[in-house]
Amino acid sequence: QVQLVESGGGSVQAGGSLRLSCAVSGDAASRLCMGWFRQAPGQEREGVAAIITTGTQKFANSVKGRFTISRDNAKNTLYLQMDSLKPEDTAMYYCAAEDRECLWDLRLQPSGYNSWGQGTQVTVSS
């Protein structure tokens, strides 16, 4: 059973940066398809960024050029570097992993993952 623990959230002004971390246990991060999602109050959970076992990445249009996803296999940790943050980036951010079927079309869909972390809050003020 894969377990995920996010950290690194906080409050930042618009234009600032944050780096989220997701510690993975129960399997090797390098063997998993992994992603970052976010959910603002009253809104659906949306995919932000994903990385598959080959290292290929996928990003939501809203974060392209601002967010970077990476994986440190030695630390078994997934990261999300968020730069040029905007107030609309405010949300609870979740780490997700899929250890079975990794379909490319589902990499930014919640249904494409079978393990989730508890989330970390990101608040961007204007």
Side-chain angles (χ1 to χ4, degrees):
Q1 183 74 20
V2 175
Q3 295 181 333
L4 308 171
V5 179
E6 303 95 334
S7 61
S11 297
V12 65
Q13 289 191 328
S17 298
L18 282 174
R19 188 177 78 158
L20 306 184
S21 300
C22 173
V24 180
S25 60
D27 204 338
S30 60
R31 292 164 38 87
L32 302 169
C33 288
M34 300 198 69
W36 287 97
F37 287 75
R38 65 187 181 188
Q39 188 168 20
Q43 297 187 18
E44 293 185 352
R45 190 168 295 191
E46 65 168 342
V48 174
I51 185 168
I52 63 174
T53 55
T54 60
T56 304
Q57 301 169 11
K58 193 171 190 176
F59 294 91
N61 289 335
S62 58
V63 305
K64 280 182 181 177
R66 300 190 299 121
F67 290 12
T68 303
I69 188 170
S70 62
R71 185 176 58 207
D72 187 328
N73 294 335
K75 295 183 177 180
N76 220 28
T77 299
L78 180 74
Y79 299 100
L80 183 68
Q81 177 67 41
M82 305 185 295
D83 298 320
S84 302
L85 282 162
K86 304 175 181 180
E88 51 263 43
D89 295 318
T90 295
M92 185 71 79
Y93 282 71
Y94 298 90
C95 174
E98 169 61 38
D99 62 356
R100 299 180 181 178
E101 191 171 28
C102 184
L103 299 176
W104 182 249
D105 287 349
L106 295 182
R107 295 287 45 84
L108 294 181
Q109 299 297 323
S111 60
Y113 297 86
N114 56 14
S115 296
W116 292 85
Q118 294 300 307
T120 185
Q121 178 68 38
V122 171
T123 302
V124 184
S125 58
S126 58

